[in-house]
């Protein structure tokens, strides 16, 4: 799929190493200095990786139309206003070449509510409603920086993207029901697990199922 790609920009260390070890040139942007130190410790001498300290909402260090692919994996989980999210997306799109592709990952509220709330009891649904973090009728979330992760729904993502002149290629429920049934997945033998993967890949873009996930990836072309 990516045989003609020259250069990537990326916001997640594990993906940086994976791509660099396949021979791609990768530029990585990291906000936290400590993480950059760890990054350097794990980078091999023959890997074509450049890492700088920076903020995804200001990529002025990079020129327009520079990258074949941009990965925003984990970044948008921690931005809590529409304006800031759109600024980060704007910068990612700006530095992407015409015809280039952006992958943007999100944490989806309903999946987290099912898994961490109702199933595991790690969050008190009643307490979240009382504190105004969950709407008592729609169960839509209101995230704040103290909550660590911004939780959204697909309609929120659609609203964010409505101001950009891009074409959506895929919108993927990246883990689907896997986290809700993690014990069952862990217990599968190889044959059943392969069948489960085939099911997941066959259904992860189905419109009636894309909201039933803890994470989603929006893939679009400039």
């Amino acid at each position: 799929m990516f045989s003609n790609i020259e250069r990537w920009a990326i916001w997640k260390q594990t993906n940086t190493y994976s791509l660099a070890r396949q021979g791609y040139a990768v530029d990585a942007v990291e906000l936290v200095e400590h993480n950059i130190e760890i990054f350097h410790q794990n980078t091999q001498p023959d890997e074509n990786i450049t890492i700088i300290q920076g903020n995804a909402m200001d990529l002025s260090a990079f020129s327009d139309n520079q990258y074949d692919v941009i990965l925003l994996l984990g970044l948008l989980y921690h931005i809590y206003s529409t304006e800031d999210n759109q600024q980060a997306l704007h910068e990612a799109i700006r530095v992407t070449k015409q015809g280039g592709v952006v992958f943007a990952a999100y944490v989806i509220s309903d999946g987290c509510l099912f898994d961490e709330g109702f199933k595991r009891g790690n969050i008190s649904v009643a307490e979240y409603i009382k504190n105004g973090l969950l709407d008592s009728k729609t169960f839509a979330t209101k995230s704040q920086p103290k909550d660590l992760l911004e939780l959204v729904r697909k309609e929120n993502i659609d609203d964010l993207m409505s101001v950009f002149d891009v074409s959506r290629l895929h919108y993927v429920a990246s883990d689907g029901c896997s986290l809700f049934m993690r014990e069952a997945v862990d217990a599968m033998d190889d044959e059943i697990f392969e069948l489960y993967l085939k099911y997941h890949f066959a259904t992860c873009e189905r419109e009636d199922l894309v909201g039933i996930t803890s994470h989603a990836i929006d893939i679009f072309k400039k």
Side-chain angles (χ1 to χ4, degrees), residues 57 76-77 79-90 106 150 160 164:
M57 291 185 289
L76 299 174
Y77 302 176
I79 301 179
Y80 297 89
S81 74
T82 298
E83 294 77 13
D84 287 349
N85 270 290
Q86 288 181 332
Q87 177 61 21
L89 287 161
H90 172 270
Y106 297 88
E150 187 194 30
L160 285 176
F164 299 112

Side-chain angles (χ1 to χ4, degrees), residues 25-79:
V26 182
D27 288 348
V29 179
E30 170 57 54
L31 180 65
V32 180
E33 185 174 352
H34 174 69
N35 292 344
I36 294 176
E37 295 173 5
I38 295 173
F39 195 102
H40 284 307
Q41 292 171 13
N42 289 285
T43 301
Q44 302 300 314
D46 60 341
E47 293 171 353
N48 191 357
I49 299 174
T50 301
I51 183 168
I52 70 164
Q53 186 170 17
N55 187 320
M57 291 185 289
D58 178 12
L59 299 179
S60 54
F62 302 95
S63 62
D64 296 355
N65 304 307
Q66 185 172 348
Y67 294 98
D68 298 280
V69 176
I70 297 284
L71 300 185
L72 302 175
L73 303 183
L75 166 73
L76 299 174
Y77 302 176
H78 306 294
I79 301 179

Side-chain angles (χ1 to χ4, degrees), residues 42-220:
N42 289 285
T43 301
Q44 302 300 314
D46 60 341
E47 293 171 353
N48 191 357
I49 299 174
T50 301
I51 183 168
I52 70 164
Q53 186 170 17
N55 187 320
M57 291 185 289
D58 178 12
L59 299 179
S60 54
F62 302 95
S63 62
D64 296 355
N65 304 307
Q66 185 172 348
Y67 294 98
D68 298 280
V69 176
I70 297 284
L71 300 185
L72 302 175
L73 303 183
L75 166 73
L76 299 174
Y77 302 176
H78 306 294
I79 301 179
Y80 297 89
S81 74
T82 298
E83 294 77 13
D84 287 349
N85 270 290
Q86 288 181 332
Q87 177 61 21
L89 287 161
H90 172 270
E91 284 291 87
I93 293 167
R94 178 184 65 80
V95 302
T96 304
K97 294 177 181 178
Q98 284 297 132
V101 178
V102 179
F103 292 70
Y106 297 88
V107 179
I108 304 303
S109 61
D110 292 290
C112 294
L113 186 60
F114 286 150
D115 185 38
E116 297 295 338
F118 290 115
K119 185 173 189 295
R120 300 186 179 280
N122 291 334
I123 61 173
S124 170
V125 177
E127 193 70 20
Y128 270 47
I129 291 173
K130 179 180 177 181
N131 293 335
L133 298 176
L134 275 176
D135 185 280
S136 61
K137 294 182 178 179
T138 66
F139 287 85
T141 57
K142 298 178 181 178
S143 303
Q144 302 173 10
K146 67 180 181 64
D147 303 313
L148 184 61
L149 298 175
E150 187 194 30
L151 305 180
V152 298
R153 288 175 168 175
K154 184 176 181 291
E155 55 260 37
N156 306 126
I157 300 168
D158 290 342
D159 287 343
L160 285 176
M161 297 306 301
S162 65
V163 301
F164 299 112
D165 184 19
V166 296
S167 301
R168 177 174 281 160
L169 302 177
H170 301 279
Y171 180 87
V172 180
S174 49
D175 45 35
C177 295
S178 299
L179 292 183
F180 316 149
M181 49 181 287
R182 66 188 78 184
E183 292 86 1
V185 172
D186 288 343
M188 291 176 183
D189 61 29
D190 290 345
E191 182 179 2
I192 296 299
F193 182 65
E194 286 297 322
L195 191 61
Y196 176 74
L197 285 180
K198 288 180 180 179
Y199 168 80
H200 174 66
F201 294 139
T203 60
C204 62
E205 294 188 63
R206 242 175 60 186
E207 189 173 347
D208 58 332
L209 292 177
V210 292
I212 311 301
T213 187
S214 295
H215 301 83
I217 298 181
D218 196 18
I219 306 170
F220 53 90

